[in-house]
Structures are given as structure tokens and as C-alpha cells.
């Protein structure tokens, strides 16, 4: 494949000017590759900037359409929704998670009514709804019980589908949940509601700011998620997880976190060749957004490009709106 030695070959020839660099560029980022995660909160008149995620907010229902409008203006085609539930509604059985008139179902309906073409990914997991801050029902010893949790997750997924979610996104890592959710959706005629599965969800320190944004960080205490999320040292286990989720009916695979796990993204895309997304998680957003030592705009564009190069078809990122604005400005000025 490689031929020629110096000076016949000077690789810098195709780096000499802007037009040729652009012509030979192998991967690109477009606003069409981006999904913007949005936090919603119960109550009225709330637009809370999150101290743990500077530049990101919790929006009450009456405020959320403003940010959606801005996303649409800059070309973003899809969002992901995460709730902050009032602490009085949290309990071990996460009963609020499948309340058809709860926060997320109402917000989905509101957005779909006003922006019918905007894609909605809704998170399916119990951590914003449990008083333990864990992603499932816990027994007396604190262990997250798998099958009972799956039962609640499938009710939650159905409730989101009924409200109009395009994709439900199980982020809990219980065994067998994709199969149960798919069955529940099919039985209720939601044949085209997709499942984006967090097939690869590592037990990562990088989720800390997110946990405060959905509230679980305040109640989780010393509990950890090692009995269900994956050890960051493992790769074979990941391939096994992904294989099972595909068998069970996952339409899209999500690798999470993003930046430190590009090898995993590459492996998942090349082994399975399924639609694959990467989640540029809260901790990663924070370290680029809050660093005084680098140019944030350059750093996030580079980050998005690297996700694409590693095999992501699309990217969830708290920087999505910032990136969309940069790409919009670039277009205006070119
Ligand atoms: C939990 C969930 C988490 C994130 C998305 N869904 C956190 C966790 O597993 O504790 C993290 C996202 C981020 O850090 O941006 N179901």
C-alpha cells in the first residue's frame, strides 16, 4: 500500500494550502452528527445554571422550549432528556419513573407538539427516581436486583414511547433489559420506537457532575455502581455485552464515556458495524469547558472530529450547542 521514499514522497505536499487540506480530509463533523442533552426540572420559572456543569441548565417546562428553539436555530436535529425529580417523589420502587403525567412524559409531549421534527432520545434508568440514587431497586444489602428492576424499566420505556419519544435509551446495565423493553414496545404496537442501548457503560468517575444535575449525587452516599457497570479495564466483556444487546434488539449502540474510551468505540464499530454513538459525558465536558489553558472552541471541534474518526456515527455532547454555533459561524464566514 505505501510506496515511495523521499523526495518522491513528501507527505507535506497535501498539507500545503487550505483547499488541499480540506479536499483530502477523511472525516468531518457536521451539526447533523450532534445530539444535545438537556436537563429538565419540576416546577415553574426555573432556569438553573448548574455549578457542576457551567453553561448547562436545568429547565422547567415553561422554559424548556426557549433552549429547544435555540438548538433548532443552529441546526441541531435531536436532543436527549434527563430529569431532576422532586425529592419527595423518590422511593426504592422508582414509581415516578413510569407516571404517564410525570415530568419526562409531559416534556416529551410539549416538545413534540411544538417541534414535531426534532428527534427525542429519552433516558431509561431509575437513578433520578430512586431514594438510593442507584439505577434500580435495591434489596436489604444494597444490591440492585436485576429482574424486578427490568420490570420497572420496561414500564418506563413504554411510558416514554406513549408520550412520543423516538428512541428509548436504557442506561442502567441490567441483564436482559433490552429484550424485555423490545417485547413491551412490540406488544403495545410501538414497532418503530427504537432502542439506543448504552451497551458499553463503564463504571467511570467522569459521571460525577451529571449525578448532581439529576439529583442522584445528593442521595447516593458511599454506594457505587460496580455490580452493574463495567470495569474500565475490560474489553472482551464489552464485546460480549454488545453482542447480547444486539441479539435482544438494540438498534443503536452507545459507548460511554467518550474521550478516554475511543479504543472501545473503534472496536465496537468495527466488530458489529451497527449504528454507533459516543457519549461525551459530563466530566469530559467540564475539563474542557473550565480549563484556562486551552482554547475551548478548538478543543471541542477536535474532540468531535476524533469521535468521528474512531467510528462514531453521532455524538451526544453538552458541547453540542457550542459546536453547532461554531459551525454556523464558520459557514457564514466562508
Ligand atoms: C445513569 C446515567 C448516568 C449518566 C447518564 N445516565 C450516570 C451514572 O451512571 O451514574 C452519565 C452521563 C454524564 O456523565 O454526562 N443512568
Amino acid at each position: 500500500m505505501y510506496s515511495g521514499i523521499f523526495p518522491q514522497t513528501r507527505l507535506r505536499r497535501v498539507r500545503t494550502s487550505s483547499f488541499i487540506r480540506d479536499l483530502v480530509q477523511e472525516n468531518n463533523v457536521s451539526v447533523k452528527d450532534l445530539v444535545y442533552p438537556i436537563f429538565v426540572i419540576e416546577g415553574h420559572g426555573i432556569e438553573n445554571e448548574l455549578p457542576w456543569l457551567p453553561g448547562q441548565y436545568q429547565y422547567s417546562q415553561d422554559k424548556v422550549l426557549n433552549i429547544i428553539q435555540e438548538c433548532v436555530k443552529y441546526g441541531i436535529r435531536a436532543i436527549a432528556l434527563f430529569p431532576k425529580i422532586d425529592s419527595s417523589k423518590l422511593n426504592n420502587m422508582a414509581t415516578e419513573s413510569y407516571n404517564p403525567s410525570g415530568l419526562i412524559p409531559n416534556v416529551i409531549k410539549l416538545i413534540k407538539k411544538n417541534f414535531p421534527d426534532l428527534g427525542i432520545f429519552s433516558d431509561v434508568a431509575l437513578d433520578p427516581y430512586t431514594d438510593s440514587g442507584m439505577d434500580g431497586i435495591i434489596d436489604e444489602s444494597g444490591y440492585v436486583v436485576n429482574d424486578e428492576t427490568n420490570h420497572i424499566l420496561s414500564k418506563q420505556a413504554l411510558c416514554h414511547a406513549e408520550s412520543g419519544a423516538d428512541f428509548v435509551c436504557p442506561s442502567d446495565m441490567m441483564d436482559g433489559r433490552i429484550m424485555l423493553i423490545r417485547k413491551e414496545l412490540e406488544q403495545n404496537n410501538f414497532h418503530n420506537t427504537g432502542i439506543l442501548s448504552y451497551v458499553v457503560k463503564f463504571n467511570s468517575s467522569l459521571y460525577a457532575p451529571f449525578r448532581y444535575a439529576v439529583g442522584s449525587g445528593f442521595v447516593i452516599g458511599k454506594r457505587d455502581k460496580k455490580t452493574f457497570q463495567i470495569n474500565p479495564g475490560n474489553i472482551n466483556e464489552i464485546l460480549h455485552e454488545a453482542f447480547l444487546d444486539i441479539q435482544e434488539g438494540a438498534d443503536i449502540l452507545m459507548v460511554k464515556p467518550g474521550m478516554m474510551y475511543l479504543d472501545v468505540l473503534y472496536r465496537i464499530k468495527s466488530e458489529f458495524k451497527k449504528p454507533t454513538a459516543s457519549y461525551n459525558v459530563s466530566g469530559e465536558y467540564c475539563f474542557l469547558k473550565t480549563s484556562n489553558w486551552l482554547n475551548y472552541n478548538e478543543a471541542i471541534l477536535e474532540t468531535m472530529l476524533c469521535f468521528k474518526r474512531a467510528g462514531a456515527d453521532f455524538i451526544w455532547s453538552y458541547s453540542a450547542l457550542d459546536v453547532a454555533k461554531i459551525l454556523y459561524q464558520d459557514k457564514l464566514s466562508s
Side-chain angles (χ1 to χ4, degrees):
M1 176 182 175
Y2 298 108
S3 62
I5 48 159
F6 182 85
Q8 287 89 337
T9 300
R10 286 182 189 266
L11 291 176
R12 291 181 59 192
R13 289 185 196 118
V14 292
R15 300 176 199 150
T16 317
S17 48
S18 169
F19 86 88
I20 192 65
R21 285 193 297 272
D22 284 352
L23 284 175
V24 301
Q25 180 159 339
E26 297 171 40
N27 293 283
N28 281 289
V29 184
S30 135
V31 68
K32 292 181 191 165
D33 301 320
L34 306 174
V35 174
Y36 188 46
I38 295 178
F39 296 101
V40 289
I41 188 166
E42 297 183 309
H44 196 81
I46 305 172
E47 200 173 315
N48 250 350
E49 184 168 10
L50 299 165
W52 326 279
L53 278 172
Q56 304 302 314
Y57 296 77
Q58 286 163 331
Y59 300 94
S60 56
Q61 270 188 71
D62 56 312
K63 296 277 184 182
V64 76
L65 293 180
N66 300 342
I67 184 72
I68 303 279
Q69 177 74 58
E70 198 173 349
C71 289
V72 170
K73 174 178 169 196
Y74 289 102
I76 288 185
R77 314 271 298 277
I79 56 154
L81 288 174
F82 295 98
K84 164 73 178 75
I85 301 298
D86 199 274
S87 56
S88 63
K89 295 182 185 157
L90 310 183
N91 57 44
N92 191 31
M93 299 305 285
T95 44
E96 184 62 17
S97 66
Y98 52 90
N99 174 1
S101 25
L103 176 63
I104 290 288
N106 284 343
V107 170
I108 295 173
K109 283 181 231 157
L110 179 73
I111 296 173
K112 278 291 176 191
K113 190 165 152 228
N114 289 277
F115 296 93
D117 297 332
L118 187 78
I120 299 184
F121 292 91
S122 71
D123 192 60
V124 171
L126 306 186
D127 50 320
Y129 303 93
T130 56
D131 52 2
S132 61
M134 297 295 266
D135 297 40
I137 301 163
I138 56 172
D139 66 14
E140 315 75 58
S141 70
Y143 185 76
V144 174
V145 288
N146 196 86
D147 301 10
E148 290 83 345
T149 297
N150 276 346
H151 179 63
I152 310 278
L153 290 170
S154 60
K155 289 187 3 172
Q156 184 186 24
L158 178 60
C159 171
H160 291 184
E162 284 168 342
S163 313
D166 297 284
F167 281 83
V168 292
C169 312
S171 68
D172 55 287
M173 296 302 286
M174 296 301 112
D175 286 326
R177 89 277 205 219
I178 302 294
M179 192 189 311
L180 263 159
I181 291 173
R182 188 69 263 160
K183 204 165 131 203
E184 187 78 9
L185 295 176
E186 292 299 322
Q187 276 172 354
N188 288 280
N189 290 326
F190 287 100
H191 308 298
N192 287 332
T193 304
I195 301 180
L196 176 150
S197 171
Y198 292 63
V199 281
V200 181
K201 179 156 176 183
F202 288 97
N203 185 246
S204 173
S205 56
L206 297 168
Y207 309 145
F210 170 97
R211 289 185 185 167
Y212 289 103
V214 297
S216 65
F218 297 107
V219 293
I220 198 164
K222 290 207 173 349
R223 297 182 191 93
D224 66 49
K225 302 194 178 185
K226 289 182 185 159
T227 67
F228 47 98
Q229 296 181 348
I230 301 174
N231 181 337
N234 293 359
I235 185 75
N236 292 327
E237 187 184 0
I238 297 299
L239 299 175
H240 197 168
E241 272 284 355
F243 175 79
L244 291 178
D245 279 14
I246 295 167
Q247 301 294 305
E248 290 178 27
D251 302 288
I252 302 177
L253 313 179
M254 163 83 95
V255 177
K256 167 183 178 188
M259 292 166 72
M260 287 166 12
Y261 294 80
L262 292 181
D263 59 321
V264 180
L265 175 59
Y266 179 77
R267 275 299 282 283
I268 290 286
K269 185 65 182 176
S270 36
E271 300 268 346
F272 299 106
K273 301 182 173 57
K274 294 281 289 179
T276 304
S278 176
Y279 195 158
N280 179 212
V281 298
S282 57
E284 301 169 1
Y285 167 80
C286 282
F287 57 67
L288 294 187
K289 186 79 175 182
T290 61
S291 169
N292 294 323
W293 302 102
L294 46 77
N295 178 321
Y296 169 72
N297 284 3
E298 285 176 5
I300 50 174
L301 281 179
E302 180 181 336
T303 305
M304 299 301 133
L305 190 58
C306 293
F307 284 131
K308 295 285 297 193
R309 191 200 61 230
D313 296 301
F314 64 98
I315 303 141
W316 290 24
S317 175
Y318 303 96
S319 297
L321 188 52
D322 293 335
V323 175
K325 287 179 182 173
I326 299 168
L327 296 174
Y328 186 84
Q329 282 308 329
D330 284 356
K331 217 172 9 182
L332 289 186
S333 56
S334 67

